Amino acid sequence: MLWIWAALPLVFSGSQLSVGTQEAESITEKTKLGRNVRETETSCPKGLYLGGKFCCQPCQPGERKHLDCTVSGGKPSCLPCTEGKEYMDKEHYSDKCRRCALCDEGHGLEVETNCTLTQNTKCRCKHNFYCNASVCEHCDPCTVCEHGTLEECTRTSNTKCKQESSRHHFLWLFIIPVWVIVFVFIFGLSVLIYKKYWKRRPNDPESGISNSENMPMISSDVDLSKYILAIAELMELDKVKKFVRKNGISETKIDEIKNDYFQNTAEQKIQMLQWWYQSHGKKDAYHTLIKSLKKINCCALAERIQDIVMKDIKNSTSDNRNENESENYLSSS
């Protein structure tokens, strides 16, 4: 009898241990199940995207998301991209389309295929320009041969020229009269003296000095944001870099923009100009742009930008005047 009473605590403790182990295993299973449920709720099946609290179907190429879907597996509200300015070439779930690329004429490029809702702009080299790189950011002018052409220039290879023999060089020295050499020397010397010592006139394009009487009467608070694309198309990338450097944009920011849009020089120019304008502010930005371009010997470019802004302001003023006349006429009648 004594051994029975002695064995009872061991049996009882063993049963408690067994029950405790089962409870621990049950808790572990519940934890795993809860984790699996959460993973199922926060992840979507292949081909669907998480929009809000539901897994939604993607928008089609040429569209962007407007509103999320309202049921799991449903279709979102999608809107078409802006024709000629934006595109999207694959299924996606973004609320923005991609911007169409610009073919920079200043770098020898032209449009081969226009941008559509589902395909980006395709660029190629202009006539008499070439590019032999796998990815062309700009095209170089074809070489003009002095002594004959072996192979004509194409869009992917430069001209191959004939080489003049050394015998011809030797004979050429005896053919040129001495007075021609003297004339060229005197002419070159005269040009150097003129550039160095003569005072340039205010309207001289190379002087960077403009006549105040010819300056357009434009407010210092012109909104340049709507002219950024047009200005970027007119300027070469090197000129844009030179301009933003002289107007407070750090070399670090310039390199960052270049790396973000490595294969798109047109977008690099747009981003640099937009960054300068945002950091400068609207006040007096227009006059700062014109003066800075003249200081870096881009007077012709400054005049083209002035013409664009002036024409736009005149058109806006004319439209407002016509509207006011119409309103006055209606009120008087």
Side-chain angles (χ1 to χ4, degrees):
M1 293 294 293
L2 293 174
W3 67 270
I4 295 175
W5 289 105
L8 283 175
L10 296 174
V11 173
F12 182 71
S13 61
S15 63
Q16 282 185 328
L17 180 62
S18 175
V19 171
T21 304
Q22 290 178 356
E23 289 179 353
E25 291 178 353
S26 176
I27 292 172
T28 303
E29 290 297 326
K30 288 180 179 178
T31 303
K32 290 181 179 179
L33 179 60
R35 185 166 64 248
N36 291 337
V37 169
R38 286 195 300 273
E39 290 176 353
T40 302
E41 289 176 350
T42 57
S43 62
C44 294
K46 185 177 181 181
L48 298 182
Y49 299 84
L50 186 62
K53 58 182 179 179
F54 298 108
C55 292
C56 304
Q57 298 181 24
C59 290
Q60 297 301 307
E63 299 177 339
R64 62 176 177 85
K65 183 193 72 175
H66 178 55
L67 295 173
D68 295 324
C69 64
T70 56
V71 295
S72 184
K75 294 183 178 180
S77 174
C78 301
L79 295 176
C81 302
T82 304
E83 181 75 36
K85 294 184 178 180
E86 299 175 332
Y87 78 100
M88 182 56 70
D89 56 356
K90 59 183 178 181
E91 293 183 347
H92 68 106
Y93 201 69
S94 172
D95 57 358
K96 292 182 179 179
C97 299
R98 295 175 178 172
R99 192 206 306 268
C100 294
L102 297 176
C103 299
D104 193 348
E105 293 185 3
H107 285 78
L109 294 168
E110 67 179 6
V111 176
E112 181 177 0
T113 305
N114 288 321
C115 186
T116 66
L117 292 179
T118 57
Q119 179 179 324
N120 194 11
T121 313
K122 187 176 180 182
C123 304
R124 66 182 180 186
C125 293
K126 296 192 298 186
H127 182 61
N128 288 332
F129 284 79
Y130 78 98
C131 174
N132 54 12
S134 56
V135 178
C136 289
E137 294 186 13
H138 69 278
C139 300
D140 297 314
C142 296
T143 301
V144 178
C145 300
E146 296 182 5
H147 310 293
T149 302
L150 292 176
E151 292 184 15
E152 295 291 340
C153 183
T154 67
R155 287 191 170 92
T156 56
S157 62
N158 194 13
T159 315
K160 291 186 179 180
C161 302
K162 295 179 180 179
Q163 298 296 325
E164 186 181 16
S165 64
S166 58
R167 183 170 62 88
H168 290 163
H169 282 291
F170 184 73
L171 293 174
W172 184 249
L173 294 175
F174 293 94
I175 295 173
I176 300 178
V178 176
W179 67 267
V180 174
I181 298 176
V182 174
F183 173 81
V184 172
F185 175 78
I186 294 174
F187 177 79
L189 186 61
S190 301
V191 171
L192 290 175
I193 294 173
Y194 171 82
K195 288 187 175 182
K196 188 172 183 179
Y197 296 106
W198 275 40
K199 184 178 179 180
R200 292 174 175 173
R201 295 171 296 172
N203 288 328
D204 187 356
E206 295 181 356
S207 67
I209 305 171
S210 58
N211 192 337
S212 58
E213 295 179 358
N214 296 329
M215 285 291 290
M217 300 299 293
I218 298 179
S219 169
S220 62
D221 295 334
V222 173
D223 184 5
L224 288 181
S225 58
K226 61 180 179 179
Y227 303 110
I228 292 294
L229 290 177
I231 296 171
E233 289 181 3
L234 293 175
M235 295 180 69
E236 296 180 359
L237 181 59
D238 291 338
K239 297 294 184 183
V240 174
K241 289 181 180 178
K242 190 173 182 180
F243 166 76
V244 298
R245 282 194 191 101
K246 289 184 176 292
N247 287 274
I249 304 302
S250 65
E251 200 68 30
T252 302
K253 188 62 186 178
I254 294 174
D255 291 338
E256 179 183 336
I257 294 173
K258 183 179 178 181
N259 293 332
D260 289 343
Y261 304 92
F262 180 72
Q263 296 182 357
N264 193 340
T265 55
E267 190 64 28
Q268 288 179 30
K269 296 189 294 183
I270 294 171
Q271 293 297 325
M272 289 180 192
L273 290 171
Q274 285 180 341
W275 188 264
W276 163 77
Y277 186 55
Q278 290 171 2
S279 62
H280 184 280
K282 184 177 180 181
K283 184 173 178 58
D284 209 35
Y286 170 78
H287 289 163
T288 299
L289 173 66
I290 299 302
K291 291 178 182 177
S292 298
L293 289 177
K294 290 183 177 180
K295 285 182 180 179
I296 60 176
N297 295 327
C298 294
C299 298
L301 175 61
E303 291 176 1
R304 292 183 68 182
I305 294 173
Q306 285 178 316
D307 289 341
I308 292 173
V309 176
M310 282 292 294
K311 288 179 181 178
D312 187 60
I313 292 176
K314 287 180 179 179
N315 291 336
S316 299
T317 305
S318 177
D319 293 339
N320 292 334
R321 188 184 299 113
N322 292 335
E323 290 179 3
N324 293 334
E325 290 176 357
S326 299
E327 290 175 0
N328 294 334
Y329 175 80
L330 291 174
S331 61
S332 62
S333 59

